[in-house]
Amino acid sequence: MASPPPHAAASDATDIEWRMDRDLVDYPVALRDMEERAAAIFAGEASERVWLLEHPPLYTAGTSANPAELIDPRFPVHDAGRGGRYTYHGPGQRIGYLNIDLRDRGRDVRNFVHHLEGWMIDALDELGIAARRAEGRIGIWTDDAQGREAKIGALGIRVRRWVTLHGFSINVDPDLSHFGGIVPCGLAEYPVTSIAALGKPASMAALDAALRAHFPTFISRLRRCGAGVEQCGDGG
């Protein structure tokens, strides 16, 4: 079996490219771009990258998607190739696609997902939103204006040859009625909320700045966790 191509040691946060697109990016274009970037990172031909963008209204189907949970396909439906079920993406929602090389960052997918959640929670806390994980449920949760537990952020990851693809979404000010065409992430009993719906200033720029500020901590926590992510905790 051929050996994988050599790669540089894990870089720190300052060496990772940040790309921000102001115009809406079509989903197939983004998918192709991130896959090409992941292959280039594996080959040692490109740097790791965080890509922040928005999509036009669409639904994506993860590898565990149940067709019964596609209630009203009012928007295009795309196979995502990531884990998870159906999700909605659209204007007013911050998408973050992560091409991060885990070969020198512990090769631990559970650790990556755990601290990706932590990064999202820290960024939202900066905006005055008390977000949290929920036992047994993927995603980022908070209490909505009616006091109900509601989902404000989603994540779905694929790892190919230890380079990550896909990433997360955080609802800034999307049209929440658009989520009604699916059972979001297969959880019909829980509503979806957004920064705007919580009465907070719905600024994409403010969220981006918070994500950028907490990114070095997220990167510093990527390592192997042994038997479980609780062994890594949330320390540096």
Side-chain angles (χ1 to χ4, degrees):
M1 180 181 295
S3 300
H7 62 284
S11 56
D12 63 25
T14 61
D15 297 321
I16 296 172
E17 178 189 347
W18 279 66
R19 172 178 170 181
M20 300 176 66
D21 279 31
R22 297 187 181 276
D23 296 330
L24 300 181
V25 179
D26 287 337
Y27 189 79
V29 172
L31 189 62
R32 182 170 61 251
D33 188 286
M34 82 170 90
E35 289 179 342
E36 290 174 352
R37 186 59 171 250
I41 291 169
F42 178 78
E45 298 169 352
S47 64
E48 299 166 289
R49 185 180 70 183
V50 176
W51 186 10
L52 300 182
L53 67 148
E54 296 172 76
H55 286 307
L58 59 94
Y59 299 124
T60 65
T63 54
S64 301
N66 181 347
E69 294 170 354
L70 181 61
I71 300 168
D72 175 14
R74 66 187 81 164
F75 303 122
V77 181
H78 299 274
D79 288 330
R82 50 149 179 82
R85 297 166 89 162
Y86 283 107
T87 60
Y88 165 77
H89 295 317
Q93 183 188 69
R94 174 50 84 215
I95 303 293
Y97 288 137
L98 309 179
N99 286 136
I100 302 297
D101 192 342
L102 298 183
R103 285 176 289 177
D104 287 324
R105 300 187 192 280
R107 301 189 183 216
D108 192 320
V109 177
R110 289 176 302 173
N111 174 258
F112 179 80
V113 171
H114 179 77
H115 291 303
L116 173 54
E117 292 172 334
W119 179 32
M120 297 166 69
I121 290 167
D122 289 344
L124 287 165
D125 182 68
E126 185 112 346
L127 304 181
I129 295 172
R132 59 186 179 269
R133 301 176 180 88
E135 184 69 28
R137 281 182 268 129
I138 195 72
I140 304 302
W141 302 81
T142 190
D143 294 328
D144 70 9
Q146 291 73 45
R148 303 170 299 177
E149 190 170 28
K151 193 168 191 177
I152 193 169
L155 59 156
I157 297 296
R158 183 176 183 180
V159 178
R160 182 183 297 155
R161 297 183 296 189
W162 294 112
V163 178
T164 68
L165 300 99
H166 300 279
F168 67 87
S169 63
I170 295 175
N171 298 328
V172 178
D173 190 15
D175 185 336
L176 295 179
S177 72
H178 289 179
F179 286 89
I182 58 171
V183 178
C185 301
L187 299 169
E189 63 270 40
Y190 296 98
V192 177
T193 192
S194 68
I195 294 173
L198 295 174
K200 304 294 183 180
S203 167
M204 197 73 74
L207 175 61
D208 292 347
L211 288 166
R212 192 81 182 244
H214 291 277
F215 183 68
T217 300
F218 162 62
I219 285 294
S220 73
R221 290 171 173 168
L222 299 184
R223 57 191 182 275
R224 177 159 292 280
C225 286
V229 293
E230 69 280 356
Q231 295 187 10
C232 278
D234 290 314

